[in-house]
Amino acid sequence: MIKGVIFDMDGVIINSEPQHYEAYVMFCGDYGVEFPYEIYKGFIGSTHAKVCKYMKEHFAIPVTEEEMQEKLREYREYLVETKGYEEIAGIKELIQNLHKNGMKLAIASSSPEKEIHKVVKSLGIESYFTKLVSGERVANPKPAPDVFLKAARELELSVEECIIIEDSGNG
C-alpha cells in the first residue's frame, strides 16, 4: 500500500532549469567560455558539484570547483531575486490533495538544502512536507538512488510504500 510520495524539486515543483542554465552561461561568459545547452542538458537532475567538475576538466576555468559553485550560487540568487521561482502548474493542488489524504510527503533533490527550504517557503508549501532531503547529504548523488532511499528512511517507510515523482533521466 502506498503511504508516501517523494518529489524531486527542480522540474517537478519548480521549473528551475532555465535559471540554472542561465547561471552557468553567465558564469562561463565571465571566462570567455561558451556552455552549450546540448552539454548542459546531460546534467539536468545532477548536482552543481558534478557540473563544476566537468567544467573544470573541459573548459580549463582558472578557479577551484568550490569557487565555481559559490559564483554560480550568487548568479542563481540574483536570478531568483529578479525573476522568482516558476511553479509547475497544478503542483500545489497535488501536494495539498496528497497531504489531505494522509500521504507522507518528502522532497529528495540534488539542489542544496538551503535552496530546497527557500523554494518550499516561497511557494507556501513547507507545512505539507515531513522531510526535505538534499543530495548534499548522501554519499552518491543522482543518478544513484541514495537521496530517494534516504527520503524513504526519513519518512519511516519502505521503498515499496513510496512513489517517486521525478522528471529527469539523471533522477
Side-chain angles (χ1 to χ4, degrees), residues 4 77 115-116 138 163:
E77 283 180 4
E115 180 75 8
I116 298 169
V138 296
I163 290 177

Side-chain angles (χ1 to χ4, degrees), residues 79-166:
L79 293 168
V80 168
E81 286 173 17
T82 58
K83 297 180 180 186
Y85 294 107
E86 182 185 338
E87 176 184 325
I88 299 294
I91 196 64
K92 271 189 196 173
E93 294 80 6
L94 174 62
I95 291 166
Q96 291 166 341
N97 190 313
L98 290 168
H99 184 266
K100 180 179 154 189
N101 286 293
M103 289 288 153
K104 288 184 174 183
L105 305 179
I107 291 177
S109 173
S110 293
S111 291
E113 192 165 346
K114 187 176 179 180
E115 180 75 8
I116 298 169
H117 284 278
K118 283 174 63 176
V119 168
V120 297
K121 184 175 175 76
S122 172
L123 298 180
I125 57 174
E126 65 267 299
S127 64
Y128 300 110
F129 290 94
T130 305
K131 297 292 177 181
L132 305 175
V133 183
S134 169
E136 295 177 321
R137 294 176 41 205
V138 296
N140 302 302
K142 294 177 185 178
D146 297 23
V147 72
F148 295 118
L149 297 172
K150 182 172 182 57
R153 281 192 306 274
E154 290 193 9
L155 288 174
E156 298 178 352
L157 298 174
S158 69
V159 293
E160 294 80 16
E161 295 173 306
C162 297
I163 290 177
I164 296 169
I165 301 177
E166 171 64 67

Side-chain angles (χ1 to χ4, degrees), residues 20-30 33 35-37 72:
H20 283 295
Y21 179 62
E22 188 174 351
Y24 286 114
V25 168
M26 291 167 72
F27 173 79
C28 286
D30 290 346
V33 174
F35 190 48
Y37 185 77
L72 285 163

